[in-house]
Amino acid sequence: MPKHIRSVAVFCGARAGTDPAHLAAAQALGAGIAAAGLALVYGGGGVGLMGTVAEAAIAAGGRVQGVIPEFLTRVERPSPVVAELEVTTSMHTRKTRMFELADAFVTLSGGLGTLDETVEIITWRQLGLHDKPIIILDVQGWAQPFLAMIEALIAQGFVPESNRRLYAVAADVPAALALLRDAPPPETAAPAERL
Ligand code: AMP
């Protein structure tokens, strides 16, 4: 891995979805992140794809940092195997801490929370607030409607075409890890160019 990528935040579902391919991808991603020597930053829960990715990373000998808001500890039940757990006072501080801890972001399948986190991290890059790689994993076409929405916004003149560069799409876990390996070092943020 390049020196500037030591940790990666994974955004993914608190549910597992109906297709077992999502669970398999979560397992492979957690194990792959650990095998690449990267720390995993994630939402701290022990349920759904979140729990699977974290437990797979720990089982493969990796470092896992969970960040969870206090009120969600009863719902998303932190996994007992995750020793490094930060409990925040709000969703906003959770997202800020995950952003600070991570050198790159991977979106795995999930629901509205996953979409929210993905859109936010893309818009922060659009605004020049960071230049960290963002990779969207398209497991079984999960990302296609989201990517189609962005294309529709480009076609309607609401999003500049150049914003396609803000994220990369990976068809599977090995492709996502390869994108992290090849990620160029962050550039000085240039908000005007991006907007
Ligand atoms: P979901 O994709 O809906 O299963 O949610 C995945 C994760 O995103 C869970 O840990 C949720 O608590 C979290 N989440 C849900 N809504 C938000 C939000 N507005 N901001 C940040 N995280 C969220």
Side-chain angles (χ1 to χ4, degrees):
M1 280 293 156
K3 277 204 192 75
H4 62 281
I5 306 211
R6 287 163 304 169
S7 59
V8 54
V10 173
F11 301 137
C12 63
R15 295 166 188 252
T18 50
D19 189 328
H22 300 295
L23 264 181
Q27 174 80 36
L29 183 61
I33 285 171
L38 298 170
L40 168 71
V41 177
Y42 89 115
V47 294
L49 298 186
M50 297 172 72
T52 301
V53 78
E55 282 163 24
I58 285 175
R63 178 179 182 187
V64 175
Q65 296 172 281
V67 186
I68 193 165
E70 209 284 322
F71 80 97
L72 272 182
T73 53
R74 285 167 294 278
V75 185
E76 295 184 356
R77 298 190 307 276
S79 168
V81 299
V82 176
E84 285 186 72
L85 186 72
E86 265 187 55
V87 180
T88 65
T89 50
S90 71
M91 292 302 267
H92 285 105
T93 42
R94 174 203 234 180
K95 289 204 276 195
T96 303
R97 276 305 286 151
M98 287 178 71
F99 170 71
E100 288 169 350
L101 290 170
D103 298 322
F105 305 91
V106 174
T107 288
L108 179 63
S109 327
L112 295 176
T114 302
L115 282 185
D116 172 88
E117 292 167 314
T118 304
V119 170
E120 183 173 75
I121 210 67
I122 293 173
T123 56
W124 286 6
R125 199 175 191 193
Q126 170 178 273
L127 294 169
L129 297 174
H130 74 92
D131 193 25
K132 302 178 185 183
I134 301 167
I135 296 160
I136 299 171
L137 246 173
D138 186 27
V139 177
Q140 296 290 96
W142 172 84
Q144 290 305 314
F146 174 66
L147 298 170
M149 180 77 199
I150 298 177
E151 289 305 316
L153 297 178
I154 290 172
Q156 291 174 43
F158 289 109
V159 175
E161 284 195 31
S162 58
N163 275 14
R164 288 196 191 103
R165 288 195 312 237
L166 298 174
Y167 55 86
V169 181
D172 53 28
V173 170
L177 293 169
L179 283 166
L180 285 176
R181 219 169 13 247
D182 297 340
E187 286 176 20
T188 311
E193 233 175 77
R194 299 228 158 81
L195 286 173

